[in-house]
């Protein structure tokens, strides 16, 4: 019987059935076996490692905070790293879903910057209504994702090659194209005094909330978008048939196709989700600052991948967690801001992130192999 409603073992469900306390396989269900079994089941959850890592990083910077007012534990400190985590997380979560589906998108960093440029050109130079510009930017993002997905699934070319080519195309347009249409400048801002819809669009995408005496500027609405994107992705993966398809196509595309999973459609939708999220980041970025520059977003695709991997997403696909990717983004946000508050040399940021990435890959691979052995 062929059915597209295929059931796969999600990361937290892999291993022996619930209630089996014989963790060492000796046929005797002892209390020690139960404890080991519970620990093993916990370690199989991709988000657990990221949660422990986030707690550890938070504690480290709490101890090493050298600011006079100990800003790390204040609203100011939370807003600072949460703002950075939000920008990374809005992209890291869909990038994580795409990785679970067995593909990469290296165009994401360039896409965020190029979408901000589209907003700046339409609103700042052409004086479009801001909401019409937002709609066109989202449509553009979805179209780019659809093209990437169709090229990858129909040609069989590796996704990192296809999306790397897309990245370079947008980098060229962000520099050469902007120089040509913006009178030799790579910085695009608002011109004129009439910008219909700008204030209301800014309230939704680039505004702030929860103002207080301790934080007069409030928290950026980007944080709410980050929470919303994460909640939607967690629900999608855990509660829907599409989430089941994502794990299936990433684990074994041929096997998934044989039981009726629409592999091509699933991957195209994942590429569209990633590119649309890049459009969201571009819209937020422009509406926060009223400006866009050609260099925006360059190199950020690696931060998104690092966050997803730290969150438990395997580079080989079929395993990972949306919540874990969000926690990975929080770790990066805390690390970049915590280094400043601790008075450390920020030149070592990349070394820190490289070490975190290596450790995450090693831990994820080991726990995934253990989970697979337990299922046999």
């Amino acid at each position: 019987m062929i059915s597209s409603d295929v059931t796969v073992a999600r990361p937290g469900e892999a291993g022996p059935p619930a209630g089996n306390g014989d963790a060492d396989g000796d046929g005797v269900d002892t209390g020690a076996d139960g404890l080991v079994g519970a620990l093993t089941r916990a370690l199989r959850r991709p988000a657990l490692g990221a949660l422990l890592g986030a707690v550890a990083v938070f504690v480290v910077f709490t101890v090493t905070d050298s600011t006079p007012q100990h800003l790390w534990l204040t609203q100011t400190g939370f807003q600072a790293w949460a703002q950075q985590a939000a920008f990374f997380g809005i992209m890291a979560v869909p990038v994580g879903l795409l990785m679970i589906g067995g593909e990469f998108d290296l165009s994401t960093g360039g896409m965020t910057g190029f979408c901000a440029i589209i907003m700046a050109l339409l609103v700042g130079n052409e004086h479009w209504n801001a909401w019409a510009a937002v709609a066109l930017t989202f449509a553009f993002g979805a179209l780019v994702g659809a093209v990437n997905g169709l090229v990858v699934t129909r040609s069989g070319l590796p996704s990192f090659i296809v999306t790397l080519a897309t990245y370079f195309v947008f980098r060229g347009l962000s520099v050469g194209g902007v120089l040509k249409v913006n009178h030799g400048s790579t910085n695009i801002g608002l011109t004129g005094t009439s910008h219909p819809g700008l204030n209301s669009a800014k309230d939704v995408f680039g505004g702030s909330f929860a103002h207080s005496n301790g934080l007069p500027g409030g928290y950026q609405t980007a944080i709410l978008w980050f929470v919303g994107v994460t909640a939607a992705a967690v629900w999608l993966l855990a509660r829907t048939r599409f989430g089941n398809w994502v794990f299936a196509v990433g684990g074994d595309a041929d096997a998934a196709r044989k039981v009726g999973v629409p592999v091509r459609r699933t991957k195209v939708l994942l590429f569209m989700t990633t590119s649309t999220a890049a459009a969201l980041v571009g819209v937020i970025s422009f509406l926060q600052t009223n400006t866009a520059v050609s260099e925006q977003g360059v190199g950020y695709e690696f931060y998104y991948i690092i966050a997803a991997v730290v969150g438990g997403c395997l580079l080989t696909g079929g395993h990972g967690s949306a919540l874990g990717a969000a926690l990975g983004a929080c770790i990066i946000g805390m690390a970049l801001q915590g280094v400043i508050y601790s008075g450390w040399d920020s030149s070592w940021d990349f070394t820190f992130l490289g070490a975190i990435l290596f450790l995450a890959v090693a831990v994820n691979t080991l726990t995934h192999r253990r989970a697979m052995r337990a299922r046999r």
Side-chain angles (χ1 to χ4, degrees), residues 53-376:
V55 171
V57 171
F58 185 85
V59 170
V60 166
F61 289 121
T62 299
V63 173
T64 59
D65 179 11
S66 62
T67 55
Q69 301 84 13
H70 297 290
L71 293 175
W72 185 252
L73 293 179
T74 67
Q75 292 187 71
T76 301
F78 176 73
Q79 152 62 21
W81 69 257
Q83 164 79 357
Q84 297 205 47
F87 271 97
F88 292 126
I90 291 173
M91 284 306 309
V93 170
V95 164
L97 297 188
L98 185 62
M99 289 175 62
I100 295 171
E103 303 292 350
F104 286 96
D105 190 342
L106 295 181
S107 69
T108 49
M111 269 292 292
T112 60
F114 192 73
C115 287
I117 289 173
I118 291 176
M119 282 292 297
L121 288 173
L122 293 178
V123 177
N125 287 10
E126 303 300 324
H127 304 290
W128 277 37
N129 183 291
W131 286 105
V134 168
L136 183 71
T137 304
F138 278 125
F140 174 78
L143 177 63
V144 171
V147 171
N148 279 339
L150 288 172
V151 171
V152 169
T153 55
R154 290 185 178 276
S155 69
L157 291 172
S159 54
F160 74 91
I161 292 295
V162 173
T163 55
L164 185 62
T166 305
Y167 166 80
F168 280 113
V169 169
F170 287 124
R171 276 298 295 145
L173 290 172
S174 297
V175 180
V178 170
L179 285 173
K180 191 172 183 62
V181 302
N182 198 44
H183 312 293
S185 173
T186 59
N187 191 326
I188 310 171
L190 295 177
T191 59
T193 57
S194 177
H195 303 287
L198 182 62
N199 290 334
S200 57
K202 187 183 285 290
D203 288 340
V204 174
F205 295 101
S208 56
F209 66 98
H211 300 261
S212 65
N213 292 332
L215 192 66
Y219 296 95
Q220 299 296 316
T221 52
I223 297 172
L224 296 179
W225 282 103
F226 174 36
V227 173
V229 168
T230 302
V234 169
W235 172 79
L236 191 74
L237 273 185
R239 300 294 181 186
T240 69
R241 178 183 297 182
F242 183 77
N244 222 3
W245 291 350
V246 173
F247 284 105
V249 301
D252 189 333
D254 290 335
R257 190 176 290 108
K258 288 176 181 175
V259 296
V261 173
V263 174
R264 182 176 296 168
R265 190 201 322 164
T266 301
K267 293 196 174 190
V268 170
L269 287 174
L270 288 172
F271 276 106
M272 291 178 68
T273 302
T274 304
S275 293
T276 304
L280 174 60
V281 171
V283 168
I284 292 174
S285 177
F286 169 73
L287 290 175
Q288 278 190 347
T289 61
N290 290 335
T291 186
V293 294
S294 295
E295 295 75 16
Q296 202 164 326
V298 175
Y300 277 30
E301 56 277 357
F302 297 111
Y303 288 100
Y304 308 146
I305 293 174
I306 290 172
V309 172
V310 169
C313 298
L314 281 185
L315 297 170
T316 51
H319 184 87
S321 159
L323 180 60
L327 289 169
C330 290
I331 290 175
I332 294 177
M334 285 192 285
L336 296 181
Q337 191 62 38
V339 165
I340 298 173
Y341 282 4
S342 298
W344 297 346
D345 185 354
S346 60
S347 302
W348 293 93
D349 282 352
F350 291 111
T351 303
F352 176 81
L353 292 175
I356 290 289
L357 177 62
F358 179 79
L359 287 173
V361 170
V363 171
N364 291 344
T365 302
L366 288 174
T367 55
H368 181 65
R369 286 177 180 172
R370 185 178 178 83
M372 291 301 100
R373 282 199 299 269
R375 291 179 61 192
R376 297 188 183 111

